[in-house]
């Protein structure tokens, strides 16, 4: 009897930790423009620190034995969170980027078995929230269908599938580089936004 193919989240959880970290880092690359736009429009935040911490993650993934003080990086990241009293849409998406990068650091400092699922779901939830915000559909059923069939949802699903496929291959230096390039997504975020807009 043929066994049922594994679902997306099962496949994700079965990846070796190294591959899970590459998957998460790629998703974080795609969340960065949201953070950068928030910082640019509000004057809050520090894009440079986020980029630096993510660079160190990639370095750790591609250079075996690279020693990095990830506890210190986690402290720096915490300082980049939007102000607590800012409950705007932009602040919430900026926080998604910070929290997702923090999740990778958690896996680099010890046990965080759910981190890869958290990052995947955070990115999807951001897309869902953006569609809710921009489409303004009151009817819950109509909204659910709208979200399901929305181009941004399709784009997000395809993107995560592509990154998972890439992370499932043997990961040498070039493969890591290719996953990072995939994550950068030509500077366009999971919400279809870029700094050039």
């Amino acid at each position: 009897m043929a066994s049922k193919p594994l679902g997306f989240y099962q496949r994700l959880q079965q990846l070796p930790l190294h591959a899970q970290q590459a998957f998460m880092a790629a998703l974080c690359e795609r969340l960065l423009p949201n953070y950068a736009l928030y910082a640019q429009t509000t004057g809050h935040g520090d894009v440079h620190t986020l980029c630096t911490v993510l660079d160190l993650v990639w370095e750790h993934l591609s250079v075996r034995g690279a020693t990095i003080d990830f506890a210190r990086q986690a402290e720096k990241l915490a300082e980049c969170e939007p102000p607590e009293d800012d409950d705007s849409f932009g602040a919430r998406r900026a926080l998604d980027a910070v929290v997702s990068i923090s999740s990778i650091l958690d896996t680099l400092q010890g046990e965080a078995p759910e981190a890869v699922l958290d990052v995947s779901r955070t990115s999807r939830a951001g897309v869902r929230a953006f569609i809710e915000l921009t489409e303004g559909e009151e009817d819950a059923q109509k909204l659910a269908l709208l979200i399901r069939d929305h181009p941004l949802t399709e784009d997000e699903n395809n993107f995560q599938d592509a990154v998972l496929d890439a992370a499932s291959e043997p990961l040498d230096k070039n493969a890591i580089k290719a996953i990072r390039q995939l994550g950068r997504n030509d500077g366009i975020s999971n919400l279809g936004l870029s700094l050039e807009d």
Side-chain angles (χ1 to χ4, degrees), residues 48-192:
H48 178 71
T49 296
L50 256 70
C51 292
T52 303
V53 175
L54 202 48
D55 284 346
L56 290 172
V57 169
W58 287 114
E59 185 184 330
H60 173 80
L61 288 171
S62 52
V63 182
R64 293 291 182 185
T67 52
I68 294 150
D69 181 353
F70 285 113
R72 175 74 194 104
Q73 299 309 320
E75 285 168 24
K76 286 187 196 170
L77 259 189
E79 292 163 16
C80 297
E81 291 186 7
E84 272 182 40
D85 59 355
D86 186 348
D87 195 31
S88 67
F89 181 82
R92 291 200 298 273
R93 300 295 71 83
L95 187 61
D96 286 349
V98 177
V99 168
S100 295
I101 297 173
S102 297
S103 293
I104 308 176
L105 297 187
D106 291 343
T107 68
L108 291 160
Q109 295 177 87
E111 284 298 298
E114 295 293 308
V116 72
L117 300 181
D118 292 343
V119 172
S120 170
R121 289 177 181 138
T122 295
S123 186
R124 290 184 201 271
V127 171
R128 208 164 39 245
F130 185 71
I131 297 167
E132 285 174 13
L133 178 81
T134 53
E135 299 292 345
E137 175 57 65
E138 296 300 313
D139 183 302
Q141 235 177 338
K142 281 185 185 160
L143 181 62
L145 287 172
L146 198 74
I147 290 169
R148 191 195 69 191
D149 299 331
H150 199 281
L152 280 175
T153 305
E154 187 184 354
D155 185 53
E156 177 69 12
N157 293 339
N158 291 342
F159 173 76
Q160 289 205 24
D161 287 343
V163 177
L164 176 57
D165 288 344
S168 302
E169 299 296 323
L171 294 183
D172 59 15
K173 216 167 181 171
N174 286 337
I176 294 285
K177 211 177 190 171
I179 291 173
R180 185 176 194 177
Q181 198 55 46
L182 189 62
R184 286 195 165 152
N185 201 39
D186 297 326
I188 298 165
S189 81
N190 61 334
L191 310 181

Side-chain angles (χ1 to χ4, degrees), residues 1-5:
M1 197 170 101
S3 59
K4 206 167 119 228

